[in-house]
Amino acid sequence: MADSVVLGDKATQSGFARLVGTSQPAINKHVEAGVLVRGASYEAWLLAYCERLRIEAAGRRPSNSRERKDMAQAQEAEVNAQLKMRELYREDQLILDTESVRKAMLEWASVGKNEFLGAVDGIVTAIESQYAITIERESLQPNIDAALRAIGDYGFEPAAAGTGDSGNLDTTT
């Protein structure tokens, strides 16, 4: 190469092509791909160009298929890590299986119904004794039945595994 280049100078495609022994169109491809930044120095281009050559020489050439493969491997590793964490949580009893949760909810509903019925009976008895009256309990039954349905009629059915659906656990009714 007859012309000398000062590495701190602003790089040109033709000058850099002469420096590294390639063609200006080949360097232009690197500029268009963003490997070589327009307006940078010869030194910056030389570092970026050499890094790109190292990557390609190591077989890590960036490509869509390589990126998809890397992404798939990363996702697989993430899923495996999550599965292992769930298994550890199960072993440490930090999470419960669906059947255990269903049984606990049914027991809670039963306790809730009994507590509610006891409270209603206590309220009716207190009102009757305080005011010396008799309350016809049959007239209260539709309201009691509605409240009991709200406590226990949630129709819990476990969702299919992996759907992210919690079944019909609507607590707003």
Side-chain angles (χ1 to χ4, degrees):
M1 176 171 119
D3 299 334
S4 63
V5 177
V6 176
L7 292 179
D9 288 352
K10 180 179 174 182
T12 64
Q13 291 182 20
S14 58
F16 190 72
R18 283 190 308 274
L19 177 66
V20 297
T22 189
S23 67
Q24 182 274 328
I27 297 304
N28 185 52
K29 288 180 183 177
H30 290 293
V31 171
E32 295 299 319
V35 174
L36 304 176
V37 179
R38 293 183 198 275
S41 67
Y42 282 106
E43 180 181 20
W45 277 21
L46 191 56
L47 290 171
Y49 187 75
C50 288
E51 179 62 23
R52 178 64 169 245
L53 291 176
R54 273 193 292 277
I55 289 171
E56 290 178 2
R60 298 186 314 252
R61 182 176 182 178
S63 68
N64 287 341
S65 62
R66 177 66 184 195
E67 287 177 14
R68 285 192 305 270
K69 181 181 176 188
D70 290 346
M71 181 64 77
Q73 287 174 335
Q75 288 173 341
E76 180 181 17
E78 178 69 23
V79 167
N80 287 338
Q82 288 176 0
L83 288 173
K84 287 177 184 176
M85 286 302 295
R86 270 193 227 135
E87 189 56 39
L88 289 173
Y89 284 157
R90 250 186 230 102
E91 288 173 9
D92 293 340
Q93 297 181 343
L94 298 175
I95 60 173
L96 301 172
D97 60 275
T98 305
E99 185 59 24
S100 297
V101 172
R102 189 185 70 73
K103 285 179 183 177
M105 291 176 75
L106 289 173
E107 289 173 17
W108 173 86
S110 178
V111 168
K113 285 179 181 182
N114 289 336
E115 289 294 319
F116 175 75
L117 288 173
V120 168
D121 190 49
I123 291 169
V124 170
T125 301
I127 292 172
E128 287 177 335
S129 62
Q130 184 174 352
Y131 295 103
I133 60 172
T134 301
I135 297 176
E136 185 182 313
R137 293 173 190 252
E138 290 80 30
S139 65
L140 302 176
Q141 201 58 47
N143 293 330
I144 292 171
D145 291 343
L148 291 175
R149 276 192 303 279
I151 293 171
D153 189 19
Y154 50 81
F156 176 76
E157 287 296 324
T163 63
D165 185 10
S166 61
N168 184 15
L169 294 177
D170 186 6
T171 59
T172 61
T173 56

